[in-house]
Every structure is written in structure tokens, then in C-alpha cells.
Amino acid sequence: MSFSSVSRNRSVLAQRMRSTAKRALSLHVPVGRVGKPLFASLYRLHVVARESIGWATRFIWYEPLFRSQCERIGSGFSMEQLPYLLGRGELRIGNDVRLSGKPSIQFSSRYVSRPRLQIGDGCFVGHNVAITIGDSVEIGNHCLIAGGVRISDFDGHPMDAMKRRDDLPADRDQVQPVMLGNDVWIGHSAVILKGVRIGDRAIVGARAVVTRDVPADATVVGNPARVIRSREAA
């Protein structure tokens, strides 16, 4: 048998094996008229079991662990997963606060002995929200913070490149508290930087980068965030 024939046979065999593998991967359990009610019942059973296990895990494990790290948690508190909590600080949570998904809270005690995070009554904190505190971050009542939002009262690293090389912390004067008023709405993946104060009922658009104070009743969007609607304009 010639070399070309062997090569051709190998190619045909490889093609057949790929075809067989594709057919095997496309196999599925048929769900016809007879089997559909059975699988529908099994699906509902799966959902009930999953939710029951999730509730039990939160009730007997996640929530007690998180509560042990808080100075205060008000009534009506609810959470889904154990937040990622790094460092030690003063964590105060008001009444009827909901933590959705898995937010993260990071305290840095390089600047003050007890950095502080306060979340007011009736707030919602979405999945993958990250709050970094070197001094203090204060969130007012009835605030809505959508998923992916970043809030930090310092830059994390010094502005000077040589200091970054030496792994030095940011300068103390670069740590500036962040304050959100009441009924503030922060859109998905927005960034709130150090020293920012956001007035009552203000709205921050999705993916906005807020570098300066936002007046009450204003709506800001963009990078850097700019006012597109204010109480005077309304």
C-alpha cells in the first residue's frame, strides 16, 4: 500500500470519528408527549430542592457568619450569598437592606484604625458591587445600587510611580470620604471615586465615572460624569 493511500485512509478514518463524536454529543433524552409531564414535575422538584438548600445555607451559615462581622444590622435584612469581606472595619447596616448576589467589601486600616461603611435603611446592593473603604463610605436611606458598581474613597495606589514600585500606600491626603444621600440610584457598573458627595434623589447612569459632587435631583452620565438633567431643568 502506497503512502498516499495510507494517508487518505487515515484522513477518512479521522473524518468518520469526528462525525461519530458529533452525533454522540447531539444525543439527548427524548421528551415527548408522554415524558413531558414527568420531566416537568422533576424540574419543579429540582427548583424546590435548589431553593431549599440555598435558603438553608443562607440561614444557618452565610448570614450568621456575616452578622458576626457587623457592628449593627437592622431588622428585615436579607442576603443571597456570603459577601467577600476583606480587612476589618466598622460595618453598620440599617433596616430592610438587601444584598443581592455576592458583593465585596474591602477595608484598609492603613489610614484610620476603624474605617467605616454605613448602609442606610431600605437599600439594595446588587451583585458584584465592590466597596473599598480607607476612611468612610456612607450610603443614605432607600438607595438602589445596581450590579457591578465600584465605590472607593481612595485610589488604592499612590499617584507617584516610584512609590508604586516600592509598594507604598496612597498618601493620607488622597483618602477622602464618599457620601451618598437618600434615594440615590447608581446604575450598572458605575464608578464612584474618592471625595464624591451625591445629593438626595440623584441618578448616576450606567457605566458613569463620577469624579465630582452630584447635586440633589440631578442625573449624570458619561466619563467623567456630567449633568444631563437637574431640578432647575425639570
Side-chain angles (χ1 to χ4, degrees):
M1 183 179 294
S2 66
F3 176 78
S4 60
S5 298
V6 172
S7 178
R8 185 166 51 252
N9 290 339
R10 286 181 177 176
S11 177
V12 171
L13 179 60
Q15 185 175 1
R16 288 178 178 175
M17 291 178 66
R18 286 195 296 268
S19 178
T20 302
K22 285 184 178 180
R23 287 197 297 269
L25 291 173
S26 66
L27 291 175
H28 61 273
V29 177
V31 181
R33 294 174 57 186
V34 176
K36 190 172 182 178
L38 171 63
F39 285 105
S41 299
L42 291 174
Y43 174 77
R44 288 191 291 270
L45 178 62
H46 168 80
V47 171
V48 170
R50 182 188 64 196
E51 295 298 322
S52 299
I53 293 171
W55 177 87
T57 303
R58 291 193 301 271
F59 182 75
I60 66 175
W61 188 243
Y62 290 163
E63 191 170 321
L65 289 177
F66 183 70
R67 284 179 177 272
S68 72
Q69 302 301 302
C70 298
E71 296 288 330
R72 177 186 180 275
I73 291 187
S75 62
F77 173 76
S78 66
M79 56 183 286
E80 295 178 2
Q81 300 180 40
L82 183 64
Y84 179 72
L85 185 59
L86 183 63
R88 296 188 65 83
E90 182 180 334
L91 181 53
R92 293 181 173 272
I93 297 178
N95 300 321
D96 301 313
V97 170
R98 178 185 172 192
L99 304 184
S100 177
K102 190 177 183 69
S104 67
I105 300 168
Q106 179 176 347
F107 291 106
S108 175
S109 56
R110 288 180 168 181
Y111 309 102
V112 298
S113 59
R114 293 280 288 176
R116 179 172 60 90
L117 171 61
Q118 180 170 318
I119 301 176
D121 297 342
C123 289
F124 173 89
V125 179
H127 173 62
N128 202 31
V129 167
I131 305 176
T132 305
I133 312 103
D135 187 326
S136 68
V137 171
E138 183 175 335
I139 299 171
N141 299 323
H142 306 290
C143 292
L144 173 60
I145 303 177
V149 168
R150 300 290 184 267
I151 302 174
S152 179
D153 66 353
F154 70 107
D155 296 324
H157 297 283
M159 300 299 292
D160 183 84
M162 297 308 296
K163 290 183 178 180
R164 292 198 299 272
R165 283 191 184 186
D166 294 335
D167 197 28
L168 295 175
D171 296 334
R172 178 64 181 91
D173 60 1
Q174 295 300 307
V175 183
Q176 302 172 18
V178 172
M179 295 185 64
L180 277 59
N182 299 322
D183 297 289
V184 170
W185 176 14
I186 310 295
H188 187 274
S189 296
V191 178
I192 314 299
L193 297 180
K194 65 178 188 288
V196 167
R197 294 171 179 260
I198 299 180
D200 295 345
R201 300 171 300 280
I203 299 173
V204 176
R207 301 187 183 279
V209 179
V210 184
T211 60
R212 62 183 63 183
D213 292 353
V214 177
D217 298 292
T219 299
V220 298
V221 299
N223 180 8
R226 65 188 187 281
V227 176
I228 61 168
R229 185 180 69 85
S230 63
R231 177 165 45 190
E232 290 77 10

